[in-house]
Amino acid sequence: MTHSGLPTVTLPSGDKVPQLGQGTWRMGESRRAFDEEVAALRLGLDLGMTLIDTAELYAEGGAEEVVAAAVKGRRDDCFIVSKVKPENSTRAGTISACERSLKRLKTERIDLYLLHWRGSPRLEETLAGFEALLAKGAIRYFGVSNFDVDDMEELLSFPGGDVCASNQVVYNLRRRGIESGLVPCSREHGIPIMAYSPIEQGRLGRDRTLAAIAARHGVTPSQIALAWVLRQGDMMVIPKASSEAHVRENRAALDIVLTKADLAELDRAFPPPKGARPLDML
Ligand SMILES: NC(=O)c1ccc[n+]([C@@H]2O[C@H](COP(=O)([O-])OP(=O)(O)OC[C@H]3O[C@@H](n4cnc5c(N)ncnc54)[C@H](OP(=O)(O)O)[C@@H]3O)[C@@H](O)[C@H]2O)c1
């Protein structure tokens, strides 16, 4: 896979993926927006953001179809992440959900396949499904999403649970809860975090503190929000952008260096958690 010079995060296998990727939630919902969404993702690929996150849930498979169009002709340069819905996450359900995703994605393998969040099927069931998919080469890695510290500990207690390649959770200036427990736990076990909703679904773009810092750097508030998450060099970060202008801005956020004064100001406006906090979910 090529990364066009982007910083990378190392997965437990030793494979490297670009730190900055692209999300797709709310893509694939309208035929009218399809071409623009494909163009935005393709521009992101050109700029090195070759990790694309999607899910069977998004637009009931529609987002995976947008991804298929975006990676056409350049599949091997991309790292595709998709997710199984909790209600499908029995052993057999995981396998058939993955097969449906592969068809929509028009590919023979998903690079990283996540359990979207915990549902009623037992975790061992999902793990058995992931193992069968790994064995037949339908997925390269498996991982989880929205797993708190206790969920990770349970996962790690099962044989093969430690092969988990990533935990995708919400992390942004307004949602710093993971700093108190999940981040140290993930680092201890060498399982990298993938940060979703890094600009709080666009809402941080309207924040006054961010606007003031952005003005000093000559960038936008959303870029400051993104740069703040990206400063954690061992986390993958997956903003969603359906316009080419936003894609360019997000790539440029990698070049922003926040000063000590910026970081202190951000800590005052968005204080770090004081103690253990349950995991947020969007
Ligand atoms: N595992 C999970 O449970 C879970 C949950 C939520 C999200 N996710 C994943 O994480 C991805 C990102 O999270 P998200 O979509 O919730 O939120 P986000 O990336 O924080 O924000 C997306 C919103 O911000 C706007 N935006 C993007 N870049 C911008 C920029 N430079 N300036 C101003 N606005 C900008 C987008 O607008 P435009 O689209 O108009 O460009 C969109 O409205 C999702 O797409 C999905 O792949 C996973």
Side-chain angles (χ1 to χ4, degrees), residues 23-25 53-54 58 83 116 145-146 168 196-202 220 222-223 238-243 246 249-250 281-282:
T24 62
W25 188 18
D53 177 73
T54 190
Y58 303 161
K83 314 183 193 79
H116 209 145
S145 176
N146 298 301
Q168 185 183 109
Y196 74 69
S197 306
I199 42 185
E200 183 70 3
Q201 300 185 322
T220 70
S222 297
Q223 287 177 294
I238 47 167
K240 174 259 186 182
S242 44
S243 77
H246 284 166
E249 285 179 12
N250 294 349
M281 196 175 152
L282 280 177

PDB file of all heavy atoms in Angstrom, residues 23-25 53-54 58 83 116 145-146 168 196-202 220 222-223 238-243 246 249-250 281-282, ligand 1:
ATOM      1  N   GLY A  23     -13.774   8.739   6.726  1.00  0.00           N
ATOM      2  CA  GLY A  23     -15.016   8.097   7.159  1.00  0.00           C
ATOM      3  C   GLY A  23     -16.080   8.192   6.073  1.00  0.00           C
ATOM      4  O   GLY A  23     -15.942   8.963   5.115  1.00  0.00           O
ATOM      5  N   THR A  24     -17.155   7.414   6.245  1.00  0.00           N
ATOM      6  CA  THR A  24     -18.208   7.408   5.208  1.00  0.00           C
ATOM      7  C   THR A  24     -19.635   7.405   5.776  1.00  0.00           C
ATOM      8  O   THR A  24     -20.580   7.177   5.030  1.00  0.00           O
ATOM      9  CB  THR A  24     -18.076   6.182   4.278  1.00  0.00           C
ATOM     10  OG1 THR A  24     -18.239   4.993   5.067  1.00  0.00           O
ATOM     11  CG2 THR A  24     -16.740   6.136   3.564  1.00  0.00           C
ATOM     12  N   TRP A  25     -19.781   7.640   7.075  1.00  0.00           N
ATOM     13  CA  TRP A  25     -21.141   7.659   7.630  1.00  0.00           C
ATOM     14  C   TRP A  25     -21.921   8.800   6.974  1.00  0.00           C
ATOM     15  O   TRP A  25     -21.388   9.906   6.863  1.00  0.00           O
ATOM     16  CB  TRP A  25     -21.078   7.853   9.155  1.00  0.00           C
ATOM     17  CG  TRP A  25     -22.405   7.699   9.839  1.00  0.00           C
ATOM     18  CD1 TRP A  25     -23.523   7.101   9.353  1.00  0.00           C
ATOM     19  CD2 TRP A  25     -22.730   8.147  11.160  1.00  0.00           C
ATOM     20  NE1 TRP A  25     -24.520   7.143  10.298  1.00  0.00           N
ATOM     21  CE2 TRP A  25     -24.073   7.782  11.412  1.00  0.00           C
ATOM     22  CE3 TRP A  25     -22.011   8.821  12.165  1.00  0.00           C
ATOM     23  CZ2 TRP A  25     -24.720   8.073  12.623  1.00  0.00           C
ATOM     24  CZ3 TRP A  25     -22.650   9.099  13.360  1.00  0.00           C
ATOM     25  CH2 TRP A  25     -23.991   8.731  13.578  1.00  0.00           C
ATOM     26  N   ASP A  53     -13.002   4.051   6.093  1.00  0.00           N
ATOM     27  CA  ASP A  53     -13.860   3.365   7.060  1.00  0.00           C
ATOM     28  C   ASP A  53     -15.305   3.377   6.588  1.00  0.00           C
ATOM     29  O   ASP A  53     -15.843   4.423   6.232  1.00  0.00           O
ATOM     30  CB  ASP A  53     -13.782   4.080   8.418  1.00  0.00           C
ATOM     31  CG  ASP A  53     -14.723   3.437   9.428  1.00  0.00           C
ATOM     32  OD1 ASP A  53     -14.407   2.334   9.896  1.00  0.00           O
ATOM     33  OD2 ASP A  53     -15.792   4.017   9.718  1.00  0.00           O
ATOM     34  N   THR A  54     -15.935   2.198   6.597  1.00  0.00           N
ATOM     35  CA  THR A  54     -17.348   2.126   6.239  1.00  0.00           C
ATOM     36  C   THR A  54     -18.018   1.077   7.118  1.00  0.00           C
ATOM     37  O   THR A  54     -17.428   0.585   8.086  1.00  0.00           O
ATOM     38  CB  THR A  54     -17.502   1.871   4.718  1.00  0.00           C
ATOM     39  OG1 THR A  54     -18.861   2.025   4.369  1.00  0.00           O
ATOM     40  CG2 THR A  54     -17.003   0.501   4.294  1.00  0.00           C
ATOM     41  N   TYR A  58     -24.204   1.774   7.350  1.00  0.00           N
ATOM     42  CA  TYR A  58     -24.304   3.108   6.749  1.00  0.00           C
ATOM     43  C   TYR A  58     -25.112   3.039   5.453  1.00  0.00           C
ATOM     44  O   TYR A  58     -24.720   2.377   4.487  1.00  0.00           O
ATOM     45  CB  TYR A  58     -22.916   3.707   6.468  1.00  0.00           C
ATOM     46  CG  TYR A  58     -22.029   3.813   7.708  1.00  0.00           C
ATOM     47  CD1 TYR A  58     -20.648   3.959   7.598  1.00  0.00           C
ATOM     48  CD2 TYR A  58     -22.555   3.768   9.001  1.00  0.00           C
ATOM     49  CE1 TYR A  58     -19.832   4.055   8.726  1.00  0.00           C
ATOM     50  CE2 TYR A  58     -21.749   3.859  10.127  1.00  0.00           C
ATOM     51  CZ  TYR A  58     -20.398   3.989   9.980  1.00  0.00           C
ATOM     52  OH  TYR A  58     -19.589   4.076  11.092  1.00  0.00           O
ATOM     53  N   LYS A  83     -17.702  -2.988   8.947  1.00  0.00           N
ATOM     54  CA  LYS A  83     -18.161  -3.457  10.270  1.00  0.00           C
ATOM     55  C   LYS A  83     -19.415  -4.298  10.143  1.00  0.00           C
ATOM     56  O   LYS A  83     -20.274  -4.020   9.297  1.00  0.00           O
ATOM     57  CB  LYS A  83     -18.488  -2.256  11.171  1.00  0.00           C
ATOM     58  CG  LYS A  83     -17.463  -1.164  11.163  1.00  0.00           C
ATOM     59  CD  LYS A  83     -17.818  -0.053  12.139  1.00  0.00           C
ATOM     60  CE  LYS A  83     -16.962   1.177  11.886  1.00  0.00           C
ATOM     61  NZ  LYS A  83     -17.429   1.989  10.748  1.00  0.00           N
ATOM     62  N   HIS A 116     -19.294  -3.708  15.219  1.00  0.00           N
ATOM     63  CA  HIS A 116     -19.643  -2.280  15.325  1.00  0.00           C
ATOM     64  C   HIS A 116     -19.834  -1.839  16.778  1.00  0.00           C
ATOM     65  O   HIS A 116     -19.396  -0.770  17.177  1.00  0.00           O
ATOM     66  CB  HIS A 116     -20.895  -2.003  14.482  1.00  0.00           C
ATOM     67  CG  HIS A 116     -20.959  -0.617  13.938  1.00  0.00           C
ATOM     68  ND1 HIS A 116     -21.486  -0.321  12.720  1.00  0.00           N
ATOM     69  CD2 HIS A 116     -20.567   0.576  14.448  1.00  0.00           C
ATOM     70  CE1 HIS A 116     -21.413   0.985  12.506  1.00  0.00           C
ATOM     71  NE2 HIS A 116     -20.866   1.539  13.549  1.00  0.00           N
ATOM     72  N   SER A 145     -15.252  -2.168  17.898  1.00  0.00           N
ATOM     73  CA  SER A 145     -15.586  -0.750  17.935  1.00  0.00           C
ATOM     74  C   SER A 145     -16.468  -0.508  19.149  1.00  0.00           C
ATOM     75  O   SER A 145     -17.272  -1.369  19.522  1.00  0.00           O
ATOM     76  CB  SER A 145     -16.318  -0.374  16.638  1.00  0.00           C
ATOM     77  OG  SER A 145     -16.721   0.971  16.691  1.00  0.00           O
ATOM     78  N   ASN A 146     -16.329   0.663  19.731  1.00  0.00           N
ATOM     79  CA  ASN A 146     -17.115   1.043  20.915  1.00  0.00           C
ATOM     80  C   ASN A 146     -16.902   0.069  22.074  1.00  0.00           C
ATOM     81  O   ASN A 146     -17.837  -0.199  22.835  1.00  0.00           O
ATOM     82  CB  ASN A 146     -18.602   1.161  20.551  1.00  0.00           C
ATOM     83  CG  ASN A 146     -18.839   2.244  19.520  1.00  0.00           C
ATOM     84  OD1 ASN A 146     -18.529   3.411  19.741  1.00  0.00           O
ATOM     85  ND2 ASN A 146     -19.358   1.866  18.353  1.00  0.00           N
ATOM     86  N   GLN A 168     -12.174   0.912  17.488  1.00  0.00           N
ATOM     87  CA  GLN A 168     -12.591   2.215  16.942  1.00  0.00           C
ATOM     88  C   GLN A 168     -13.578   2.858  17.916  1.00  0.00           C
ATOM     89  O   GLN A 168     -14.639   2.296  18.190  1.00  0.00           O
ATOM     90  CB  GLN A 168     -13.247   1.998  15.573  1.00  0.00           C
ATOM     91  CG  GLN A 168     -13.599   3.317  14.901  1.00  0.00           C
ATOM     92  CD  GLN A 168     -14.319   3.120  13.572  1.00  0.00           C
ATOM     93  OE1 GLN A 168     -15.508   3.375  13.444  1.00  0.00           O
ATOM     94  NE2 GLN A 168     -13.593   2.684  12.561  1.00  0.00           N
ATOM     95  N   TYR A 196     -13.013   8.012  15.938  1.00  0.00           N
ATOM     96  CA  TYR A 196     -14.091   8.456  15.038  1.00  0.00           C
ATOM     97  C   TYR A 196     -14.706   9.768  15.519  1.00  0.00           C
ATOM     98  O   TYR A 196     -14.472  10.188  16.651  1.00  0.00           O
ATOM     99  CB  TYR A 196     -15.126   7.358  14.806  1.00  0.00           C
ATOM    100  CG  TYR A 196     -16.108   6.995  15.904  1.00  0.00           C
ATOM    101  CD1 TYR A 196     -17.126   7.860  16.308  1.00  0.00           C
ATOM    102  CD2 TYR A 196     -16.074   5.735  16.493  1.00  0.00           C
ATOM    103  CE1 TYR A 196     -18.058   7.487  17.274  1.00  0.00           C
ATOM    104  CE2 TYR A 196     -17.002   5.354  17.461  1.00  0.00           C
ATOM    105  CZ  TYR A 196     -17.996   6.238  17.848  1.00  0.00           C
ATOM    106  OH  TYR A 196     -18.916   5.868  18.793  1.00  0.00           O
ATOM    107  N   SER A 197     -15.451  10.412  14.642  1.00  0.00           N
ATOM    108  CA  SER A 197     -16.074  11.736  14.888  1.00  0.00           C
ATOM    109  C   SER A 197     -15.059  12.735  15.462  1.00  0.00           C
ATOM    110  O   SER A 197     -15.329  13.401  16.465  1.00  0.00           O
ATOM    111  CB  SER A 197     -17.291  11.614  15.812  1.00  0.00           C
ATOM    112  OG  SER A 197     -18.218  10.678  15.318  1.00  0.00           O
ATOM    113  N   PRO A 198     -13.880  12.873  14.831  1.00  0.00           N
ATOM    114  CA  PRO A 198     -12.836  13.734  15.407  1.00  0.00           C
ATOM    115  C   PRO A 198     -13.207  15.212  15.436  1.00  0.00           C
ATOM    116  O   PRO A 198     -12.633  15.964  16.212  1.00  0.00           O
ATOM    117  CB  PRO A 198     -11.631  13.492  14.490  1.00  0.00           C
ATOM    118  CG  PRO A 198     -12.230  13.032  13.191  1.00  0.00           C
ATOM    119  CD  PRO A 198     -13.441  12.240  13.567  1.00  0.00           C
ATOM    120  N   ILE A 199     -14.180  15.609  14.581  1.00  0.00           N
ATOM    121  CA  ILE A 199     -14.624  17.011  14.688  1.00  0.00           C
ATOM    122  C   ILE A 199     -16.069  17.079  15.185  1.00  0.00           C
ATOM    123  O   ILE A 199     -16.778  18.038  14.923  1.00  0.00           O
ATOM    124  CB  ILE A 199     -14.401  17.811  13.381  1.00  0.00           C
ATOM    125  CG1 ILE A 199     -14.780  17.003  12.155  1.00  0.00           C
ATOM    126  CG2 ILE A 199     -12.976  18.249  13.238  1.00  0.00           C
ATOM    127  CD1 ILE A 199     -14.474  17.700  10.839  1.00  0.00           C
ATOM    128  N   GLU A 200     -16.443  16.051  15.965  1.00  0.00           N
ATOM    129  CA  GLU A 200     -17.769  16.001  16.615  1.00  0.00           C
ATOM    130  C   GLU A 200     -18.866  16.233  15.564  1.00  0.00           C
ATOM    131  O   GLU A 200     -19.737  17.062  15.712  1.00  0.00           O
ATOM    132  CB  GLU A 200     -17.828  17.009  17.771  1.00  0.00           C
ATOM    133  CG  GLU A 200     -19.095  17.042  18.607  1.00  0.00           C
ATOM    134  CD  GLU A 200     -19.331  15.841  19.508  1.00  0.00           C
ATOM    135  OE1 GLU A 200     -18.479  14.946  19.568  1.00  0.00           O
ATOM    136  OE2 GLU A 200     -20.405  15.817  20.132  1.00  0.00           O
ATOM    137  N   GLN A 201     -18.755  15.500  14.483  1.00  0.00           N
ATOM    138  CA  GLN A 201     -19.715  15.558  13.374  1.00  0.00           C
ATOM    139  C   GLN A 201     -19.886  16.988  12.844  1.00  0.00           C
ATOM    140  O   GLN A 201     -20.978  17.400  12.480  1.00  0.00           O
ATOM    141  CB  GLN A 201     -21.047  14.949  13.818  1.00  0.00           C
ATOM    142  CG  GLN A 201     -20.842  13.485  14.230  1.00  0.00           C
ATOM    143  CD  GLN A 201     -22.105  12.752  14.585  1.00  0.00           C
ATOM    144  OE1 GLN A 201     -22.992  13.318  15.193  1.00  0.00           O
ATOM    145  NE2 GLN A 201     -22.146  11.485  14.225  1.00  0.00           N
ATOM    146  N   GLY A 202     -18.786  17.718  12.843  1.00  0.00           N
ATOM    147  CA  GLY A 202     -18.789  19.076  12.295  1.00  0.00           C
ATOM    148  C   GLY A 202     -19.033  20.151  13.347  1.00  0.00           C
ATOM    149  O   GLY A 202     -18.750  21.324  13.120  1.00  0.00           O
ATOM    150  N   THR A 220      -8.775  26.672   9.723  1.00  0.00           N
ATOM    151  CA  THR A 220     -10.164  26.698  10.185  1.00  0.00           C
ATOM    152  C   THR A 220     -10.278  25.989  11.552  1.00  0.00           C
ATOM    153  O   THR A 220      -9.415  25.174  11.911  1.00  0.00           O
ATOM    154  CB  THR A 220     -11.095  25.968   9.185  1.00  0.00           C
ATOM    155  OG1 THR A 220     -10.794  24.561   9.251  1.00  0.00           O
ATOM    156  CG2 THR A 220     -10.911  26.466   7.763  1.00  0.00           C
ATOM    157  N   SER A 222     -12.215  23.564  12.399  1.00  0.00           N
ATOM    158  CA  SER A 222     -12.274  22.104  12.212  1.00  0.00           C
ATOM    159  C   SER A 222     -10.867  21.527  12.065  1.00  0.00           C
ATOM    160  O   SER A 222     -10.570  20.433  12.548  1.00  0.00           O
ATOM    161  CB  SER A 222     -13.079  21.743  10.960  1.00  0.00           C
ATOM    162  OG  SER A 222     -14.400  22.164  11.104  1.00  0.00           O
ATOM    163  N   GLN A 223     -10.004  22.268  11.374  1.00  0.00           N
ATOM    164  CA  GLN A 223      -8.628  21.772  11.203  1.00  0.00           C
ATOM    165  C   GLN A 223      -7.893  21.719  12.551  1.00  0.00           C
ATOM    166  O   GLN A 223      -7.089  20.816  12.781  1.00  0.00           O
ATOM    167  CB  GLN A 223      -7.852  22.655  10.219  1.00  0.00           C
ATOM    168  CG  GLN A 223      -8.289  22.454   8.774  1.00  0.00           C
ATOM    169  CD  GLN A 223      -7.547  23.390   7.839  1.00  0.00           C
ATOM    170  OE1 GLN A 223      -7.706  24.613   7.905  1.00  0.00           O
ATOM    171  NE2 GLN A 223      -6.729  22.836   6.971  1.00  0.00           N
ATOM    172  N   ILE A 238     -10.305   9.269  11.471  1.00  0.00           N
ATOM    173  CA  ILE A 238     -11.086   9.069  10.239  1.00  0.00           C
ATOM    174  C   ILE A 238     -12.195  10.107  10.059  1.00  0.00           C
ATOM    175  O   ILE A 238     -13.384   9.774  10.135  1.00  0.00           O
ATOM    176  CB  ILE A 238     -11.679   7.641  10.201  1.00  0.00           C
ATOM    177  CG1 ILE A 238     -12.349   7.282  11.556  1.00  0.00           C
ATOM    178  CG2 ILE A 238     -10.612   6.617   9.846  1.00  0.00           C
ATOM    179  CD1 ILE A 238     -13.231   6.024  11.483  1.00  0.00           C
ATOM    180  N   PRO A 239     -11.851  11.373   9.814  1.00  0.00           N
ATOM    181  CA  PRO A 239     -12.900  12.361   9.553  1.00  0.00           C
ATOM    182  C   PRO A 239     -13.671  12.012   8.286  1.00  0.00           C
ATOM    183  O   PRO A 239     -13.095  11.420   7.366  1.00  0.00           O
ATOM    184  CB  PRO A 239     -12.114  13.660   9.347  1.00  0.00           C
ATOM    185  CG  PRO A 239     -10.783  13.206   8.836  1.00  0.00           C
ATOM    186  CD  PRO A 239     -10.507  11.903   9.544  1.00  0.00           C
ATOM    187  N   LYS A 240     -14.940  12.378   8.278  1.00  0.00           N
ATOM    188  CA  LYS A 240     -15.740  12.168   7.066  1.00  0.00           C
ATOM    189  C   LYS A 240     -15.906  13.513   6.372  1.00  0.00           C
ATOM    190  O   LYS A 240     -16.263  14.520   6.995  1.00  0.00           O
ATOM    191  CB  LYS A 240     -17.102  11.592   7.446  1.00  0.00           C
ATOM    192  CG  LYS A 240     -18.063  11.481   6.267  1.00  0.00           C
ATOM    193  CD  LYS A 240     -19.061  12.605   6.279  1.00  0.00           C
ATOM    194  CE  LYS A 240     -20.119  12.458   5.208  1.00  0.00           C
ATOM    195  NZ  LYS A 240     -21.038  13.593   5.223  1.00  0.00           N
ATOM    196  N   ALA A 241     -15.634  13.547   5.079  1.00  0.00           N
ATOM    197  CA  ALA A 241     -15.805  14.782   4.318  1.00  0.00           C
ATOM    198  C   ALA A 241     -16.384  14.429   2.957  1.00  0.00           C
ATOM    199  O   ALA A 241     -15.840  13.582   2.254  1.00  0.00           O
ATOM    200  CB  ALA A 241     -14.462  15.487   4.144  1.00  0.00           C
ATOM    201  N   SER A 242     -17.482  15.075   2.606  1.00  0.00           N
ATOM    202  CA  SER A 242     -18.057  14.750   1.299  1.00  0.00           C
ATOM    203  C   SER A 242     -17.839  15.876   0.297  1.00  0.00           C
ATOM    204  O   SER A 242     -18.352  15.806  -0.812  1.00  0.00           O
ATOM    205  CB  SER A 242     -19.538  14.384   1.431  1.00  0.00           C
ATOM    206  OG  SER A 242     -20.179  15.271   2.285  1.00  0.00           O
ATOM    207  N   SER A 243     -17.089  16.903   0.712  1.00  0.00           N
ATOM    208  CA  SER A 243     -16.741  17.930  -0.276  1.00  0.00           C
ATOM    209  C   SER A 243     -15.225  17.943  -0.447  1.00  0.00           C
ATOM    210  O   SER A 243     -14.481  17.669   0.494  1.00  0.00           O
ATOM    211  CB  SER A 243     -17.221  19.312   0.176  1.00  0.00           C
ATOM    212  OG  SER A 243     -16.365  19.824   1.168  1.00  0.00           O
ATOM    213  N   HIS A 246     -13.292  20.217   1.964  1.00  0.00           N
ATOM    214  CA  HIS A 246     -13.073  19.654   3.301  1.00  0.00           C
ATOM    215  C   HIS A 246     -11.981  18.595   3.280  1.00  0.00           C
ATOM    216  O   HIS A 246     -11.176  18.507   4.207  1.00  0.00           O
ATOM    217  CB  HIS A 246     -14.384  19.066   3.847  1.00  0.00           C
ATOM    218  CG  HIS A 246     -15.357  20.103   4.317  1.00  0.00           C
ATOM    219  ND1 HIS A 246     -16.678  19.824   4.574  1.00  0.00           N
ATOM    220  CD2 HIS A 246     -15.198  21.421   4.566  1.00  0.00           C
ATOM    221  CE1 HIS A 246     -17.293  20.925   4.977  1.00  0.00           C
ATOM    222  NE2 HIS A 246     -16.422  21.914   4.964  1.00  0.00           N
ATOM    223  N   GLU A 249      -8.690  20.353   3.298  1.00  0.00           N
ATOM    224  CA  GLU A 249      -8.428  20.938   4.627  1.00  0.00           C
ATOM    225  C   GLU A 249      -8.009  19.864   5.616  1.00  0.00           C
ATOM    226  O   GLU A 249      -7.103  20.071   6.423  1.00  0.00           O
ATOM    227  CB  GLU A 249      -9.690  21.633   5.155  1.00  0.00           C
ATOM    228  CG  GLU A 249      -9.982  22.956   4.482  1.00  0.00           C
ATOM    229  CD  GLU A 249     -11.263  23.597   5.010  1.00  0.00           C
ATOM    230  OE1 GLU A 249     -11.798  23.137   6.040  1.00  0.00           O
ATOM    231  OE2 GLU A 249     -11.718  24.551   4.374  1.00  0.00           O
ATOM    232  N   ASN A 250      -8.678  18.725   5.552  1.00  0.00           N
ATOM    233  CA  ASN A 250      -8.369  17.667   6.520  1.00  0.00           C
ATOM    234  C   ASN A 250      -6.950  17.139   6.309  1.00  0.00           C
ATOM    235  O   ASN A 250      -6.218  16.909   7.271  1.00  0.00           O
ATOM    236  CB  ASN A 250      -9.412  16.550   6.440  1.00  0.00           C
ATOM    237  CG  ASN A 250     -10.779  17.058   6.885  1.00  0.00           C
ATOM    238  OD1 ASN A 250     -10.896  18.155   7.441  1.00  0.00           O
ATOM    239  ND2 ASN A 250     -11.819  16.280   6.640  1.00  0.00           N
ATOM    240  N   MET A 281     -20.531   7.206  23.017  1.00  0.00           N
ATOM    241  CA  MET A 281     -20.776   6.567  21.716  1.00  0.00           C
ATOM    242  C   MET A 281     -21.649   7.513  20.907  1.00  0.00           C
ATOM    243  O   MET A 281     -22.559   8.124  21.472  1.00  0.00           O
ATOM    244  CB  MET A 281     -21.502   5.252  21.975  1.00  0.00           C
ATOM    245  CG  MET A 281     -21.502   4.319  20.819  1.00  0.00           C
ATOM    246  SD  MET A 281     -22.270   2.753  21.292  1.00  0.00           S
ATOM    247  CE  MET A 281     -22.883   2.267  19.709  1.00  0.00           C
ATOM    248  N   LEU A 282     -21.369   7.654  19.614  1.00  0.00           N
ATOM    249  CA  LEU A 282     -22.210   8.509  18.785  1.00  0.00           C
ATOM    250  C   LEU A 282     -22.974   7.653  17.795  1.00  0.00           C
ATOM    251  O   LEU A 282     -22.446   6.646  17.322  1.00  0.00           O
ATOM    252  CB  LEU A 282     -21.349   9.512  18.022  1.00  0.00           C
ATOM    253  CG  LEU A 282     -20.872  10.736  18.783  1.00  0.00           C
ATOM    254  CD1 LEU A 282     -19.972  11.593  17.913  1.00  0.00           C
ATOM    255  CD2 LEU A 282     -22.023  11.563  19.307  1.00  0.00           C
TER     256      LEU A 282
HETATM  257  N1  LIG B   1     -17.799   2.975  15.000  1.00  0.00           N
HETATM  258  C1  LIG B   1     -18.772   3.826  15.209  1.00  0.00           C
HETATM  259  O1  LIG B   1     -19.708   3.574  15.990  1.00  0.00           O
HETATM  260  C2  LIG B   1     -18.753   5.141  14.476  1.00  0.00           C
HETATM  261  C3  LIG B   1     -19.603   6.184  14.889  1.00  0.00           C
HETATM  262  C4  LIG B   1     -19.526   7.404  14.213  1.00  0.00           C
HETATM  263  C5  LIG B   1     -18.638   7.561  13.156  1.00  0.00           C
HETATM  264  N2  LIG B   1     -17.857   6.514  12.747  1.00  0.00           N
HETATM  265  C6  LIG B   1     -16.924   6.647  11.589  1.00  0.00           C
HETATM  266  O2  LIG B   1     -16.119   7.800  11.775  1.00  0.00           O
HETATM  267  C7  LIG B   1     -16.292   8.691  10.672  1.00  0.00           C
HETATM  268  C8  LIG B   1     -16.156  10.134  11.097  1.00  0.00           C
HETATM  269  O3  LIG B   1     -17.092  10.482  12.087  1.00  0.00           O
HETATM  270  P1  LIG B   1     -18.396  11.371  11.783  1.00  0.00           P
HETATM  271  O4  LIG B   1     -18.779  11.275  10.361  1.00  0.00           O
HETATM  272  O5  LIG B   1     -19.399  10.968  12.810  1.00  0.00           O
HETATM  273  O6  LIG B   1     -17.967  12.846  12.171  1.00  0.00           O
HETATM  274  P2  LIG B   1     -16.766  13.848  11.821  1.00  0.00           P
HETATM  275  O7  LIG B   1     -15.802  13.233  10.907  1.00  0.00           O
HETATM  276  O8  LIG B   1     -16.304  14.375  13.123  1.00  0.00           O
HETATM  277  O9  LIG B   1     -17.563  15.032  11.085  1.00  0.00           O
HETATM  278  C9  LIG B   1     -18.138  14.902   9.820  1.00  0.00           C
HETATM  279  C10 LIG B   1     -18.844  16.211   9.501  1.00  0.00           C
HETATM  280  O10 LIG B   1     -17.896  17.272   9.510  1.00  0.00           O
HETATM  281  C11 LIG B   1     -17.884  17.936   8.255  1.00  0.00           C
HETATM  282  N3  LIG B   1     -16.492  18.232   7.909  1.00  0.00           N
HETATM  283  C12 LIG B   1     -15.518  17.368   7.517  1.00  0.00           C
HETATM  284  N4  LIG B   1     -14.366  18.014   7.298  1.00  0.00           N
HETATM  285  C13 LIG B   1     -14.610  19.321   7.558  1.00  0.00           C
HETATM  286  C14 LIG B   1     -13.826  20.483   7.499  1.00  0.00           C
HETATM  287  N5  LIG B   1     -12.542  20.450   7.131  1.00  0.00           N
HETATM  288  N6  LIG B   1     -14.401  21.675   7.833  1.00  0.00           N
HETATM  289  C15 LIG B   1     -15.698  21.727   8.215  1.00  0.00           C
HETATM  290  N7  LIG B   1     -16.500  20.657   8.273  1.00  0.00           N
HETATM  291  C16 LIG B   1     -15.958  19.452   7.953  1.00  0.00           C
HETATM  292  C17 LIG B   1     -18.495  16.998   7.265  1.00  0.00           C
HETATM  293  O11 LIG B   1     -19.115  17.751   6.251  1.00  0.00           O
HETATM  294  P3  LIG B   1     -19.158  17.297   4.693  1.00  0.00           P
HETATM  295  O12 LIG B   1     -19.532  15.851   4.694  1.00  0.00           O
HETATM  296  O13 LIG B   1     -20.174  18.215   4.142  1.00  0.00           O
HETATM  297  O14 LIG B   1     -17.803  17.520   4.100  1.00  0.00           O
HETATM  298  C18 LIG B   1     -19.499  16.241   8.144  1.00  0.00           C
HETATM  299  O15 LIG B   1     -20.693  16.991   8.260  1.00  0.00           O
HETATM  300  C19 LIG B   1     -17.697   8.326  10.158  1.00  0.00           C
HETATM  301  O16 LIG B   1     -17.955   8.849   8.890  1.00  0.00           O
HETATM  302  C20 LIG B   1     -17.646   6.827  10.265  1.00  0.00           C
HETATM  303  O17 LIG B   1     -16.905   6.290   9.185  1.00  0.00           O
HETATM  304  C21 LIG B   1     -17.874   5.323  13.419  1.00  0.00           C
END
